[in-house]
Amino acid sequence: MTSTTNTGTGLVHEAGVRAEEDVRAELVARATALRPLLRDQAARGESRRAVPEEVVDALAGAGVFRLLTPKRYGGHESDLRTLTEVSETLGAGDGSAAWIGMIISVTNWLACLFPDKAQEEVFGADPDARVTGVAAPTGTGERVPGGWRVSGRWSYNSGAPYATWAAVGALLKGEDGAVADQALVLMPAGDLTVEDTWHAVGMRATASNTLIGQDVFVPEHRVLSVPAAVEGAYPRSHRGEDLYGSAFGPMLLLCLVGPLLGLGKAALDLVVEAVGTKPLSFTVHGRQADSVGVQTQVADAALRLETARLHTYGAVAEVDRAAGSGSLDHAARTHIRARAGYAAQQVVEAIGILLNAHGSSAFADTHPLQRIWRDANAAARHAGLVPSVGLEVYGKSLLGIGDRVSLMV
């Protein structure tokens, strides 16, 4: 017979884990309480092409924007699992609101990878700062004394109306005019203008408009090298804050799946609720629930959603574990990227099956299923979730092929 003894360190660790779980549960509960408001305001947000201010205020009040902000600035400094659970919960209410909450939260995390001076400018000056951004390097930077002069146009900046800062991608040119680095640069939102370009079929309320900057001065401490960050080299000070040791690409890709999981749950719940009373036209079935065809479609969709959650939360756990123990290697990161894209496709396919089961009434303007379908199809086509890219980078890794297809791994 063997016995185990809890050491002091073990007890401290267990207490810490319990505390984190309690905080997570509280944050998810707050998100759950917001769902009626999100559902009620979803159609209004679509018509305005922006999440209503009262929803944004409610998200802020529930602590959503501070999920990944350091505790030293009054944030929750939680983890990717918490962000994913909160995003999934919000997504069951409204996809656009969940997307805005997720984007601002994770881009706040991104801002905390910059040098401490930049963090202080963003969050020290305003603990409620909201950072949004566009990682695509569609801007250019030229060296000037003390930093860079940056110009560009950055499309698909979700949450633009609510941001106080922006992190945008730029190709930095050396003195010879050749590209010397690919970087993310932090700019005050006031240094940029917003062009109303987001006229989309899905995720309409995310206000994912285009940012424009012309000759914006960016000091050296507000520049983050993307190739270095991908390999885990962040210019911030090491403070024992494990969250900010999380892998760059996996954090910025996996976070996108949370709202999709919520959209899938919302679709399943709506269809399951309806089958008990909705007839199956041109058949003997007075209820869809009595049809074997409907039963198998609902089961198929439910299993696809379960598959998506298993892949997502398995990858999320891997990222969170590695945050405190060291960076993930390239092979692990390619696997995570493939799983993220695969999970997103499972959600999209599940929602399509559910609409087939529910029938044509789902496409009425007033029916939430058609909005869920549009939102999920738009979100799943984010560049970070393109399944073919994820499968390619993972396949190359499995076969020992060294070609780098994307930095965002």
Side-chain angles (χ1 to χ4, degrees):
M1 187 176 213
T2 59
S3 63
T4 58
T5 302
N6 279 324
T7 65
T9 301
L11 289 171
V12 169
H13 173 72
E14 289 179 11
V17 170
R18 285 196 299 271
E20 290 175 6
E21 291 175 348
D22 289 344
V23 170
R24 180 182 300 124
E26 170 62 23
L27 291 167
V28 172
R30 293 183 194 177
T32 301
L34 293 182
R35 284 204 301 230
L37 173 66
L38 269 54
R39 288 172 181 146
D40 181 64
Q41 294 294 319
R44 180 169 167 238
E46 273 217 320
S47 66
R48 296 173 68 245
R49 294 188 300 111
V51 173
E53 285 292 345
E54 53 261 56
V55 172
V56 176
D57 291 343
L59 292 172
V64 173
F65 300 141
R66 289 192 181 199
L67 286 176
L68 304 185
T69 302
K71 291 178 181 177
R72 56 193 159 90
Y73 292 123
H76 293 291
E77 197 178 316
S78 52
D79 55 16
L80 181 56
R81 178 178 168 185
T82 303
L83 174 61
T84 305
E85 287 195 25
V86 169
S87 298
E88 179 179 5
T89 302
L90 296 173
D94 176 40
S96 288
W99 194 265
I100 293 300
M102 174 273 295
I103 286 291
I104 291 176
S105 185
V106 80
T107 317
N108 281 3
W109 169 84
L110 176 65
C112 295
L113 307 185
F114 284 74
D116 293 9
K117 186 176 181 180
Q119 297 176 47
E120 191 62 25
E121 288 176 352
V122 176
F123 298 107
D126 178 13
D128 289 314
R130 300 172 187 169
V131 189
T132 60
V134 179
T138 52
T140 57
E142 297 181 357
R143 172 68 77 178
V144 294
W148 301 84
R149 186 173 64 245
V150 179
S151 299
R153 291 173 58 88
W154 296 274
S155 297
Y156 312 124
N157 185 63
S158 300
Y162 320 112
T164 55
W165 286 79
V168 293
L171 299 176
L172 304 182
K173 297 182 178 180
E175 294 181 1
D176 60 357
V179 174
D181 198 3
Q182 177 179 333
L184 283 164
V185 297
L186 268 175
M187 300 178 180
D191 289 351
L192 301 162
T193 58
V194 180
E195 184 177 338
D196 185 1
T197 56
W198 185 245
H199 299 267
V201 171
M203 289 290 189
R204 288 178 176 172
T206 59
S208 301
N209 290 307
T210 299
L211 297 179
I212 302 172
Q214 184 63 43
D215 295 331
V216 178
F217 174 68
V218 179
E220 194 68 56
H221 63 271
R222 285 202 253 122
V223 176
L224 178 74
S225 170
V226 172
V230 166
E231 299 305 326
Y234 306 144
R236 68 187 314 277
S237 294
H238 297 287
R239 299 173 176 269
E241 298 168 327
D242 289 350
L243 173 63
Y244 309 104
S246 300
F248 185 79
M251 278 289 290
L252 297 180
L253 299 178
L254 274 175
C255 65
L256 305 171
V257 186
L260 277 159
L261 295 176
L263 286 164
K265 174 176 170 49
L268 180 62
D269 288 348
L270 283 167
V271 171
V272 168
E273 181 180 1
V275 296
T277 56
K278 191 175 187 295
L280 189 61
S281 300
F282 302 130
T283 74
V284 299
H285 299 303
R287 304 185 318 152
Q288 287 184 329
D290 296 326
S291 164
V292 173
V294 172
Q295 294 163 8
T296 55
Q297 285 178 302
V298 170
D300 186 4
L303 286 172
R304 289 174 187 270
L305 294 175
E306 185 177 356
T307 296
R309 292 190 87 256
L310 288 168
H311 275 293
T312 301
Y313 281 100
V316 163
E318 192 174 349
V319 173
D320 282 341
R321 282 195 301 270
S325 60
S327 60
L328 294 164
D329 62 23
H330 184 257
R333 300 198 307 266
T334 63
H335 188 204
I336 288 169
R337 170 138 192 185
R339 294 166 85 183
Y342 185 77
Q345 287 305 300
Q346 291 297 308
V347 174
V348 168
E349 290 172 14
I351 293 174
I353 291 167
L354 290 167
L355 262 73
N356 288 341
H358 188 79
S360 59
S361 63
F363 290 91
D365 283 344
T366 56
H367 203 299
L369 268 176
Q370 53 81 23
R371 183 177 63 251
I372 290 168
W373 176 69
R374 289 185 287 105
D375 284 351
N377 274 275
R381 284 159 176 81
H382 186 286
L385 296 176
V386 174
S388 59
V389 175
L391 293 174
E392 181 179 0
V393 296
Y394 183 43
K396 280 181 164 57
S397 175
L398 288 172
L399 298 175
I401 299 172
D403 298 345
R404 297 294 288 266
V405 176
S406 171
L407 273 178
M408 291 300 291
V409 172

